[in-house]
């Protein structure tokens, strides 16, 4: 039996067990919340009621198995992003819930409580969601460690492109392959056998034989034309599929990580559509309203603490309590960012007067290594470790220059680090917290990784993403992770 089919059968059994467990969870919920009142049936008709409840369980399992037989729920998701997988699985679960409820009502189960149906469907859906996402995360974790079970071959016309993609599969984004082989697809031919005709290189043809890939589990086709003898043609793909291979077709090596993606087709030809991540006008209005309300509330609640910190900064070192610096905001508009001063008042001059110190500052991503910054005051070290130095940014949020959640507010000199993506980066308001802050902050040594985290936030930005980051910010601050 094909290993993929075996896995799909195993997953179907596992999800059927989830529905079975969801049934008993619903029973416990009904007993706990309603003292069993929704399970009460007329005297003498208990067996009929039990039959209907049992039939409900059978109908739910059959609906799930039937629905997933017509969807891609159990196909391998090795190359699929987790958020795409989550959305697709959620849609499938909603359709399953609708079909199951419709089937139950059409069968007129008079003794089955509607509340019990809601508990049952809800509990089962949560269990299936957790099981599938948990399995995917576990497998990806194992693939990134030492559990490398599969082999892959990368086929393409351009060997350099294939080598680059193979490196992505093994180093940058490891997917659990114990071996990734690159193989060129074309070979030159002519009539005299020396590869030339009238002093010129002849046209090339594909040298493809599906049986030569017997030892590989996955086949990646990059930028290969779909000619009759091509591995990307209908006959070539079909031959690979008949050999039990997982086939992945990549029209060209285009990095679309910065954009939202949707896959469609035109006359059976796959079309990848990309769009930039942005909030709708309604979502933007809601986000601005939340920023205004929450920043106002926090400023009122934290005003005594802000006052105490301001006095402490002023008292412990000469200079103003607030540090003001020009940063780039929405659409590259400069604004003045407020923070509590954590350095000596002549910090900028100290940096300029020492070329070696400034070089280290630039090489360390516009920060000096922890414990090596002579500009920091004793109180400033504490304020940075506890993130209290960032409280004045609530004023920036209040007046609309920043948001509670967003990309990092950068100084103008940093914009060059974002290259061609700088316009995309500045299409969102900078935030007090964001993807970079909750992912380690100063622990992230490579500036390139910081840029990726900011651009990933812009690509995936949504109100739900902001709530997730806000919830992750609290433990990140309490753990003082990456605070420097």
């Amino acid at each position: 039996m094909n290993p993929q089919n075996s896995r799909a059968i195993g997953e179907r059994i596992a999800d059927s067990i989830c529905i079975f467990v969801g049934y008993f969870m619903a029973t416990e919920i009904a007993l706990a919340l309603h003292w069993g009142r929704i399970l009460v049936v007329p005297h003498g008709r208990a067996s009929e009621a039990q039959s209907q409840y049992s039939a409900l369980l059978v109908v739910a399992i059959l609906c799930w198995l039937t629905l997933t037989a017509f969807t891609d729920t159990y196909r391998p998701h090795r190359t699929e992003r987790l958020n795409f997988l989550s959305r697709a699985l959620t849609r499938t679960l909603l359709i399953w819930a609708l079909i199951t409820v419709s089937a139950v009502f059409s069968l007129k189960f008079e003794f089955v409580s509607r509340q019990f149906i809601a508990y049952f469907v809800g509990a089962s859906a949560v269990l299936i969601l957790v099981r599938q996402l948990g399995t995917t995360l576990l497998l990806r974790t194992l693939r990134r460690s030492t559990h490398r079970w599969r082999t892959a071959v990368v086929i393409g016309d351009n060997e350099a492109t294939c080598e680059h993609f193979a490196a992505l599969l093994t180093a940058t984004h490891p997917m659990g392959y114990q071996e990734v082989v690159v193989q060129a697809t074309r070979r030159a031919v002519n009539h005299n056998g020396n590869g030339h005709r009238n002093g010129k290189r002849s046209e090339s043809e594909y040298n493809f034989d599906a049986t030569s890939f017997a030892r590989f589990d996955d086949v990646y086709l990059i930028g290969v034309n779909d000619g009759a003898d091509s591995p990307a043609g209908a006959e070539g793909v079909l031959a690979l599929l008949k050999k039990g291979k997982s086939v992945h077709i990549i029209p060209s090596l285009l990095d679309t990580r910065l954009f939202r993606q949707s896959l469609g087709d035109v006359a059976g030809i796959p079309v990848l559509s990309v769009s930039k991540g942005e909030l709708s006008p309604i979502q933007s209005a809601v986000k601005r309203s939340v920023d205004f309300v929450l920043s106002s509330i926090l400023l009122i609640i934290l005003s005594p603490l802000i006052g105490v910190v301001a006095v402490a900064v002023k008292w412990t070192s000469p200079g103003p309590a607030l540090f003001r610096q020009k940063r780039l905001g929405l659409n590259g508009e400069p604004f003045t960012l407020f923070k509590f001063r954590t350095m000596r008042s002549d910090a900028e001059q100290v940096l300029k007067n020492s070329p070696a110190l400034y070089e280290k500052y630039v090489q360390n991503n516009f920060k000096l290594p922890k414990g090596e910054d002579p500009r920091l005051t004793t109180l400033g070290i504490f304020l940075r470790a506890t993130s209290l130095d960032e409280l004045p940014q609530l004023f920036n949020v209040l007046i609309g220059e920043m948001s509670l959640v967003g990309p990092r507010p950068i100084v103008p000199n940093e914009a060059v680090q974002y290259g061609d993506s700088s316009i995309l980066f500045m299409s969102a308001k900078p935030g007090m917290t964001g993807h970079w802050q909750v992912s380690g902050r100063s622990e992230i040594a490579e500036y390139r990784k910081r840029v990726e985290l900011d651009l990933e936030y812009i690509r995936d930005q949504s109100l739900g993403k902001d709530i997730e980051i806000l919830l992750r910010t609290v433990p990140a601050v309490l753990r003082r992770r990456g605070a420097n």
Side-chain angles (χ1 to χ4, degrees), residues 1-51:
M1 182 182 292
N2 190 309
Q4 291 183 11
N5 293 336
S6 301
R7 177 182 169 182
I9 292 173
E11 291 204 64
R12 283 186 169 86
I13 294 173
D15 287 338
S16 298
I17 293 173
C18 286
I19 296 174
F20 190 77
V21 174
Y23 178 86
F24 288 99
M25 286 180 62
T27 303
E28 294 299 321
I29 293 172
L31 291 172
L33 297 182
H34 305 281
W35 299 91
R37 288 192 298 271
I38 66 174
L39 302 176
V40 173
V41 296
H43 182 68
R45 307 190 69 180
S47 61
E48 186 178 352
Q50 183 59 47
S51 298

Side-chain angles (χ1 to χ4, degrees), residues 212-258:
S212 63
F213 304 115
R215 67 189 181 94
F216 298 107
D217 300 299
D218 292 73
V219 179
Y220 290 88
L221 306 171
I222 301 182
V224 183
N225 294 326
D226 59 351
D229 60 343
S230 165
E235 292 185 7
V237 172
L238 184 59
L240 290 168
L241 292 175
K242 283 183 177 180
K243 297 292 183 180
K245 310 304 174 187
S246 294
V247 181
H248 313 274
I249 300 176
I250 306 166
S252 64
L253 207 58
L254 172 66
D255 188 354
T256 60
R257 287 177 296 174
L258 301 182

Side-chain angles (χ1 to χ4, degrees), residues 83-372:
N83 59 338
F84 287 172
L85 175 60
S86 301
R87 286 199 291 265
L89 181 56
T90 300
R91 284 195 297 269
T92 301
L93 287 168
L94 289 174
I95 295 172
W96 167 72
L98 181 62
I99 294 174
T100 300
V101 171
S102 300
V104 169
F105 281 108
S106 65
L107 293 173
K108 298 180 179 179
F109 289 164
E110 58 179 316
F111 297 118
V112 177
S113 164
R114 294 182 179 181
Q115 287 175 295
F116 180 84
I117 295 174
Y119 296 149
F120 168 49
V121 171
S124 300
V126 169
L127 287 173
I128 291 173
L129 184 66
V130 171
R131 202 283 306 164
Q132 292 214 19
L133 295 182
T135 300
T136 301
L137 289 172
L138 175 62
L139 288 174
R140 291 184 180 182
T141 301
L142 292 175
R143 289 166 187 155
R144 284 176 171 84
S145 59
T146 58
H147 295 75
R148 303 176 183 274
W149 301 304
R150 298 171 69 83
T151 57
V153 58
V154 180
I155 304 173
D157 295 342
N158 188 312
E159 188 171 353
T161 300
C162 293
E163 292 283 0
H164 175 61
F165 185 75
L168 293 177
L169 290 178
T170 54
T172 311
H173 298 277
M175 299 177 65
Y177 293 116
Q178 62 177 331
E179 182 185 20
V180 177
V181 175
V182 171
Q183 181 168 321
T185 54
R186 290 187 180 274
R187 60 182 173 88
V189 296
N190 58 22
H191 296 297
N192 58 21
N194 61 13
H196 293 75
R197 181 191 303 158
N198 298 327
K200 295 183 179 180
R201 187 79 173 177
S202 68
E203 294 184 358
S204 59
E205 66 178 15
Y206 284 106
N207 179 22
F208 171 71
D209 180 8
T211 59
S212 63
F213 304 115
R215 67 189 181 94
F216 298 107
D217 300 299
D218 292 73
V219 179
Y220 290 88
L221 306 171
I222 301 182
V224 183
N225 294 326
D226 59 351
D229 60 343
S230 165
E235 292 185 7
V237 172
L238 184 59
L240 290 168
L241 292 175
K242 283 183 177 180
K243 297 292 183 180
K245 310 304 174 187
S246 294
V247 181
H248 313 274
I249 300 176
I250 306 166
S252 64
L253 207 58
L254 172 66
D255 188 354
T256 60
R257 287 177 296 174
L258 301 182
F259 311 103
R260 293 179 179 177
Q261 307 156 27
S262 59
L263 185 63
D265 71 274
V266 175
I269 300 172
V271 177
L272 180 66
S273 302
V274 297
S275 61
K276 68 175 183 177
E278 60 183 352
L279 300 178
S280 67
I282 295 178
Q283 290 174 323
S284 297
V286 171
K287 181 171 182 174
R288 175 59 191 142
S289 300
V290 171
D291 284 341
F292 181 82
V293 172
L294 285 183
S295 61
S296 301
I297 294 173
L298 288 172
L299 282 170
I300 293 172
I301 294 174
L302 298 175
S303 56
L305 177 61
I306 293 174
V308 169
V309 174
V311 171
V313 172
K314 187 72 176 176
W315 184 59
T316 55
S317 63
L322 289 179
F323 170 73
R324 298 172 174 85
Q325 188 179 46
K326 288 295 181 183
R327 300 289 180 102
L328 297 180
L330 182 64
N331 298 323
E333 288 294 325
F335 71 97
T336 301
L337 178 136
F338 302 112
K339 297 179 71 173
F340 281 124
R341 182 173 57 82
T342 59
M343 295 184 177
R344 297 163 41 176
S345 57
D346 61 344
E348 295 291 332
Q349 197 62 37
V350 170
L351 199 61
K352 291 178 180 178
N353 290 342
S354 175
L357 192 66
Y358 183 76
E359 184 179 356
K360 183 181 289 188
Y361 169 79
V362 174
Q363 290 177 348
N364 198 52
N365 302 322
F366 299 93
K367 276 181 176 287
L368 288 171
K370 189 174 183 179
E372 299 183 28

Side-chain angles (χ1 to χ4, degrees), residues 365 367 436 444 446-454:
N365 302 322
K367 276 181 176 287
W436 171 71
I444 301 172
E446 293 185 46
Y447 200 95
R448 177 184 58 80
K449 183 61 177 176
R450 297 186 184 189
V451 172
E452 287 181 3
L453 288 172
D454 282 331

